[in-house]
Amino acid sequence: MSIFDHVQNRYQRTQQEEMSLQEYLQLCKDDPRAYASASERMLEAIGEPRVIDTSKDPALSRIFSNKVIRRYPAFEEFYGMEDAIEQIVSYFRHAAQGLEERKQILYLLGPVGGGKSSLAERLKALMEAVPFYAIKGSPVYESPLGLFAQEDGDLLEKEYGIPKRYLRSVMSPWAAKRLKEYGGDISQFRVVKLYPSRLNQVAVSKTEPGDDNNQDISALVGKVDIRKLELFSQDDPDAYSFSGGLCKANQGLMEFVEMFKAPLKVLHPLLTATQEGNYNPTEGMGAIPFDGVLLAHSNESEWQQFRNNRNNEAFLDRVYIVKVPYSLRVSEEMKIYQKLLEHSSLDYAPCAPDTLRMLAQFSVLSRLKEPENSSIYSKMRIYDGENIKDTDPRAKSIQEYRDNAGVDEGMNGLSTRFAFKILSKVFNFDSTEVAANPVHLLYVLEQSIEREQLPKEVHDRYLRFIKEFLAPRYVEFIGKEIQTAYLESYSEYGQNIFDRYVTYADFWIQDQEYRDPETGELFDRQSLNDELEKIEKPAGISNPKDFRHEVVNFVLRARAQNNGNNPSWQSYEKLKGVIEHKMFANTEELLPVISFNAKASSADAKKHEDFVNRMQERGYTEKQVRLLSEWYLRVRKSQ
């Protein structure tokens, strides 16, 4: 299908389908979706969730305490927002069941750049997915069931199976006038099938706050069209312009952006629209029906100000609050950056390993509350589902951290927008190469913190995160990267150490002397112990006896599956770390290979070339290899 056919088909699909009222009622009998409320249609658009048993995933089980969680395909790219999304879906589920939520305003409360607007946009897009039925020509897209009174409920339920609870809306003044013209014959009304549309303001609308002088309730309820007053009287429905947000959003969704910044008098029609299903126009006409969803969002400061005013109690009781905090999980925060990069030309620009992780760690640290008697860095790792009992015995459980932090953790700190602006600067930091690396990131972060002119306490706290957590751990990380690239070039050296250690340990365990087949040198048990300790001590092995038994057992099992040959020295993680310590006890061994100075011999030049190639395979550009190697050597030297 060509793009032109595709667009044409989409247009055709959303065109009106017309039918008589009798045909509509027959359709209701066969398909309950014909009279479904806005909340029911939203639930259908959201679809069935994927049910995840977190007890089967170690990281998720720690984060969600082995609970079963639901993830909805419609919100797949809203990372780390499981709680907020579950609350939103619960709101629609309860509203669809006709419970109290049907009369409540869905209110997203969260800090700037936390994802409230994105959630609102997604909900509006979902609302467009499922069609609804309205009286043809109705300026407020009212349901055909609005033509019937409560006393018709028993007959409708008996003949067409329509539950009486769907007869809750009043007839609009426009429909009442038409009915009078038709002499009470409702069969003359026609019904159309419509798709909600943001573009055409059909069952989806958006209202923004104005100032006290130029905004009044007409932004929600419409007003008289003065051009029609020469044809109709002022209280005639045909002289009225049903242009307000509530008029356009009937049977759909109305979004009120930064709701509590609007003048209070503007908000009053929302009270009756939600509770009674109708609201008064500005002129002396009958009430206008509203059977849709009201979605509002604003920042916490506006909400606190509004809540603390005792005059607003009527509103406070009609608001269903969903908190949308910042992400507090590093892995989810990284996915947000990756998503933002995918929507930009930087998606194809090189990004050195650990760049996004470091930025995500900094963002999350800024949002966490400092724990008592524990490291905030450990808290961040626990929140991400890591098990750090071995590395930090003082770390607490995730539940203990949450209980101590209170309910508003994640409502403050650096926004995702701020982080992405940092990332943009990092990618464009080097004038000759559009690429990102953690060293530039550390520099840009420090500069940005200085420029933000934050309160001294916050400023010092952010700098402490960089100096105390991010920079030292990156030195470890890049050191490991450089060493691994170097080691892979000289894996033979590592294998020799491995084979020798295993042989010595085996003879030491058996309490036998060992004669070196090449030199003929004889090692007694004490000599073997001395040789083994030379490898173990630099790595800080505290219980060498158990460690030797463990290694030899592992190797004997591996040999049985490997035709009697020793496994690779990198196959056993514990011993691999020990050998790396032995090989890189001092940086001087690395210098000739990783530095970019002129090489003393062609052999060194070849080793250097291999090292650079291996670093490039790991995701670095040649320029980054030079920068990071020199930075690492400089830092190690200063230490």
Side-chain angles (χ1 to χ4, degrees):
M1 185 191 291
S2 76
I3 184 66
F4 298 101
D5 295 334
H6 184 73
V7 174
Q8 183 69 34
N9 283 359
R10 187 173 67 230
Y11 177 77
Q12 294 294 347
R13 185 177 67 88
T14 57
Q15 289 312 288
Q16 293 186 5
E17 292 177 29
E18 196 177 317
M19 63 189 77
S20 67
L21 188 60
Q22 179 64 41
E23 288 169 331
Y24 168 73
L25 291 173
Q26 196 57 48
L27 180 65
C28 292
K29 191 175 182 178
D30 302 331
D31 184 3
R33 290 186 301 178
Y35 52 81
S37 67
S39 298
E40 288 172 285
R41 299 199 311 275
M42 179 65 86
L43 274 183
E44 186 185 335
I46 289 171
E48 290 301 313
R50 276 190 303 120
V51 178
I52 297 167
D53 182 356
T54 60
S55 64
K56 293 178 180 172
D57 182 304
L60 290 178
S61 75
R62 286 188 281 271
I63 295 168
F64 295 103
S65 310
N66 289 337
K67 291 181 194 144
V68 172
I69 60 168
R70 291 187 281 247
R71 284 206 170 130
Y72 297 86
F75 299 100
E76 200 71 67
E77 64 206 51
F78 287 84
Y79 302 110
M81 294 174 80
E82 291 89 355
D83 286 349
I85 287 162
E86 190 54 55
Q87 283 184 64
I88 290 169
V89 175
S90 293
Y91 166 86
F92 286 111
R93 191 181 295 119
H94 299 165
Q97 292 165 347
L99 305 178
E100 183 57 32
E101 280 80 353
R102 177 174 64 81
K103 302 176 180 179
Q104 300 258 304
I105 297 167
L106 175 59
Y107 176 63
L108 306 180
L109 171 65
V112 292
K116 303 184 299 294
S117 300
S118 301
L119 275 172
E121 285 303 312
R122 176 55 51 90
L123 289 171
K124 288 193 289 186
L126 288 168
M127 184 55 82
E128 291 182 328
V130 182
F132 69 103
Y133 293 84
I135 298 171
K136 185 184 180 186
S138 170
V140 291
Y141 313 114
E142 65 191 291
S143 166
L145 298 182
L147 297 170
F148 301 99
Q150 286 290 337
E151 61 196 74
D152 303 320
D154 291 332
L155 271 172
L156 278 172
E157 188 162 19
K158 187 178 173 186
E159 283 190 49
Y160 300 104
I162 301 169
K164 282 189 278 189
R165 67 186 179 92
Y166 286 95
L167 297 183
R168 56 174 175 256
S169 59
V170 297
M171 194 185 301
S172 72
W174 176 90
K177 182 179 179 182
R178 299 288 91 79
L179 187 62
K180 198 172 180 183
E181 288 171 1
Y182 298 153
D185 180 7
I186 61 168
S187 64
Q188 291 197 43
F189 283 100
R190 304 285 290 170
V191 177
V192 287
K193 177 184 176 183
L194 298 169
Y195 275 85
S197 165
R198 285 172 286 180
L199 183 65
N200 301 318
Q201 294 278 286
V202 175
V204 181
S205 69
K206 184 175 186 175
T207 306
E208 294 170 343
D211 62 47
D212 289 354
N213 301 322
N214 67 11
Q215 190 169 36
D216 57 25
I217 61 168
S218 63
L220 292 177
V221 305
K223 57 189 172 187
V224 162
D225 185 347
I226 54 173
R227 291 168 299 180
K228 293 183 179 176
L229 288 180
E230 59 183 87
L231 304 172
F232 305 102
S233 66
Q234 196 161 332
D235 61 352
D236 190 305
D238 287 332
Y240 198 76
S241 172
F242 295 88
S243 56
L246 289 170
C247 308
K248 297 286 186 188
N250 187 28
Q251 292 212 75
L253 183 143
M254 188 192 103
E255 178 192 10
F256 207 135
V257 182
E258 302 292 346
M259 182 168 94
F260 295 126
K261 280 183 179 160
L264 186 61
K265 63 184 179 185
V266 174
L267 304 181
H268 287 140
L270 301 180
L271 292 174
T272 51
T274 51
Q275 291 299 299
E276 295 159 28
N278 60 72
Y279 54 92
N280 286 329
T282 56
E283 303 306 318
M285 297 187 296
I288 304 171
F290 180 79
D291 182 21
V293 177
L294 285 174
L295 168 67
H297 50 90
S298 73
N299 303 331
E300 203 166 15
S301 55
E302 276 95 41
W303 166 247
Q304 293 296 351
Q305 195 177 341
F306 188 84
R307 192 176 69 170
N308 293 335
N309 185 345
R310 303 297 295 170
N311 298 332
N312 300 331
E313 281 183 346
F315 262 110
L316 300 176
D317 197 39
R318 291 169 167 85
V319 170
Y320 180 98
I321 297 177
V322 174
K323 284 197 170 181
V324 186
Y326 292 131
S327 170
L328 296 178
R329 280 150 56 195
V330 171
S331 51
E332 299 295 314
E333 183 76 4
M334 283 170 65
K335 288 178 188 170
I336 296 172
Y337 302 155
Q338 281 157 354
K339 180 179 82 172
L340 293 168
L341 285 173
E342 280 167 18
H343 297 156
S344 74
S345 63
L346 296 178
D347 189 27
Y348 303 101
C351 184
D354 218 45
T355 310
L356 296 185
R357 177 172 294 282
M358 187 189 284
L359 181 57
Q361 286 178 339
F362 184 74
S363 297
V364 170
L365 285 169
S366 76
R367 299 162 186 172
L368 293 175
K369 290 193 175 176
E370 293 270 359
E372 292 177 17
N373 308 322
S374 177
S375 156
I376 192 170
Y377 192 82
S378 295
K379 179 179 179 178
M380 176 197 74
R381 292 178 64 190
I382 292 284
Y383 271 28
D384 207 28
E386 289 187 53
N387 181 8
I388 60 169
K389 279 203 175 96
D390 300 337
T391 53
D392 184 1
R394 292 171 63 195
K396 299 171 184 167
S397 70
I398 193 164
Q399 197 54 52
E400 205 173 337
Y401 278 132
R402 281 180 183 154
D403 291 345
N404 292 338
V407 292
D408 60 341
E409 189 172 42
M411 302 296 273
N412 298 301
L414 295 173
S415 73
T416 307
R417 286 193 196 118
F418 176 84
F420 200 58
K421 284 189 282 188
I422 295 283
L423 203 53
S424 308
K425 288 178 187 170
V426 173
F427 269 99
N428 293 286
F429 187 83
D430 190 325
S431 56
T432 58
E433 181 180 62
V434 177
N437 68 73
V439 172
H440 286 162
L441 173 62
L442 288 169
Y443 179 78
V444 170
L445 270 178
E446 274 198 55
Q447 295 296 310
S448 299
I449 291 166
E450 295 296 340
R451 271 199 294 272
E452 285 292 305
Q453 294 183 319
L454 299 162
K456 186 175 187 315
E457 186 190 334
V458 178
H459 172 273
D460 294 348
R461 184 165 163 257
Y462 288 175
L463 282 183
R464 180 170 68 85
F465 294 155
I466 294 173
K467 301 270 195 298
E468 201 175 307
F469 304 127
L470 302 188
R473 279 171 175 81
Y474 186 64
V475 174
E476 276 178 40
F477 176 85
I478 191 62
K480 201 81 177 275
E481 289 279 277
I482 287 170
Q483 289 169 7
T484 307
Y486 175 94
L487 284 174
E488 284 174 356
S489 319
Y490 301 101
S491 54
E492 203 178 315
Y493 179 34
Q495 191 66 41
N496 287 341
I497 296 176
F498 178 85
D499 294 344
R500 195 163 75 244
Y501 182 88
V502 171
T503 305
Y504 289 172
D506 194 11
F507 276 88
W508 181 86
I509 289 167
Q510 295 174 55
D511 198 5
Q512 290 180 6
E513 292 182 336
Y514 170 69
R515 186 179 294 279
D516 191 313
E518 290 177 10
T519 61
E521 189 181 349
L522 189 67
F523 293 89
D524 61 14
R525 195 162 198 260
Q526 185 55 46
S527 305
L528 288 170
N529 189 62
D530 293 344
E531 290 297 319
L532 289 167
E533 282 184 350
K534 282 180 192 174
I535 298 171
E536 291 160 352
K537 277 189 174 172
I541 298 295
S542 54
N543 48 351
K545 186 180 174 185
D546 292 346
F547 183 74
R548 291 168 194 176
H549 278 278
E550 213 177 305
V551 170
V552 171
N553 284 339
F554 169 80
V555 172
L556 290 175
R557 281 197 308 275
R559 274 184 195 160
Q561 299 169 345
N562 198 25
N563 300 325
N565 298 319
N566 272 354
S568 159
W569 72 277
Q570 292 177 315
S571 61
Y572 192 54
E573 200 61 40
K574 284 187 179 176
L575 187 53
K576 177 187 167 190
V578 170
I579 291 171
E580 284 176 355
H581 271 284
K582 160 73 178 166
M583 293 172 82
F584 298 103
N586 59 37
T587 317
E588 280 66 42
E589 293 177 29
L590 282 171
L591 260 173
V593 173
I594 72 169
S595 74
F596 278 73
N597 302 333
K599 298 292 171 259
S601 66
S602 58
D604 276 357
K606 178 73 174 77
K607 289 175 188 175
H608 174 75
E609 192 183 325
D610 288 349
F611 162 73
V612 173
N613 289 339
R614 289 184 186 281
M615 285 292 277
Q616 285 179 306
E617 283 168 19
R618 299 180 81 81
Y620 299 87
T621 67
E622 189 174 347
K623 196 163 186 185
Q624 286 173 342
V625 177
R626 176 189 286 265
L627 171 82
L628 298 175
S629 300
E630 287 172 355
W631 181 81
Y632 173 69
L633 291 172
R634 209 163 49 242
V635 170
R636 285 297 297 262
K637 203 171 181 183
S638 68
Q639 288 174 348

